[in-house]
Amino acid sequence: MNTERKPNNRGNLQNKSKEKSKLRRITATSSRWLHIYLSMISFAVLLFFAVTGLTLNHPDWFADQQSTNEIKGNLNVNWVNNIDTSKISKLEIVEHLRNKEKIKGALSEFRITEYECSVSFKGPGYSADAYISREDGVYSITEIKSGFVAVLNDLHKGRDSGKNWAVLIDISAIMMTLVSLSGLILILFIKKKRTNGLLIAVVGAILCYIIYKLFVP
């Protein structure tokens, strides 16, 4: 008499079904949690980039906010008239302009020619260019302040805003990508809305492409 038991195929199928159902439940729960909390964390960032996207597209709305200041002065001639240009006191010159003339922004360029030194400072919505005579230390500065909205626009683009702000932009981009992907995963678990939701997403992508092909030079 053969007492060997046959494999319980029904039991194996049930176990696989339970494991699959559990994985789906964990995926749905994790995606929902990620979507909700990342959406709340990135709300301010998303709002900032949305609003500044509009202001970037219409710079003429805020053109009258720009102001230009002309500043003149003189500094220690010994800092600039050394024949050996490697011994020109760059640090002292920059600190003098910052402390006395209240120049802002990060130092972007320091050029030395036979007759003058030119120093440029850049920041979000801000620029200052100083020209210093190597003969007598007399300088002139053109300072341009473009206004609060221009500051926001430059922060949006990451222009002249430093490495730390660039890191924040990268983190924001990653967060918004995760929000989008988690939302897409969630729609896959909603049977009644899954087809329509994916269809609308595809239609939106196609419309963007059509607008690009037809209207972008």
Side-chain angles (χ1 to χ4, degrees), residues 17 35 54 92 97 106 132 134 139 146 165 174 178 199 202:
S17 179
H35 186 76
L54 182 63
E92 286 81 356
L97 297 176
I132 309 163
R134 293 186 62 192
Y139 59 79
S146 300
W165 186 259
I174 292 170
L178 291 174
L199 182 61
V202 171

Side-chain angles (χ1 to χ4, degrees), residues 63-131:
D64 59 345
Q65 292 187 357
Q66 180 171 301
S67 63
T68 302
N69 300 321
E70 298 292 340
I71 304 169
K72 297 187 181 296
N74 61 283
L75 48 72
N76 190 337
V77 68
N78 293 326
W79 293 348
V80 292
N81 68 353
N82 199 311
I83 297 177
D84 185 356
T85 56
S86 65
K87 294 182 179 180
I88 287 179
S89 305
K90 295 183 179 180
L91 179 61
E92 286 81 356
I93 294 169
V94 171
E95 289 303 311
H96 173 87
L97 297 176
R98 290 192 187 281
N99 295 330
K100 185 176 181 181
E101 308 299 351
K102 307 303 179 186
I103 298 300
K104 301 176 183 178
L107 177 66
S108 65
E109 187 177 30
F110 196 118
R111 290 187 294 118
I112 304 171
T113 65
E114 183 179 356
Y115 300 105
E116 70 175 13
C117 297
S118 61
V119 191
S120 296
F121 300 85
K122 301 290 184 182
Y126 178 89
S127 67
D129 296 294
Y131 299 93

Side-chain angles (χ1 to χ4, degrees), residues 200-217:
I200 291 171
V202 171
V203 170
I206 293 173
L207 283 175
C208 289
Y209 179 75
I210 291 173
I211 292 171
Y212 164 72
K213 294 296 289 185
L214 293 180
F215 302 108
V216 178

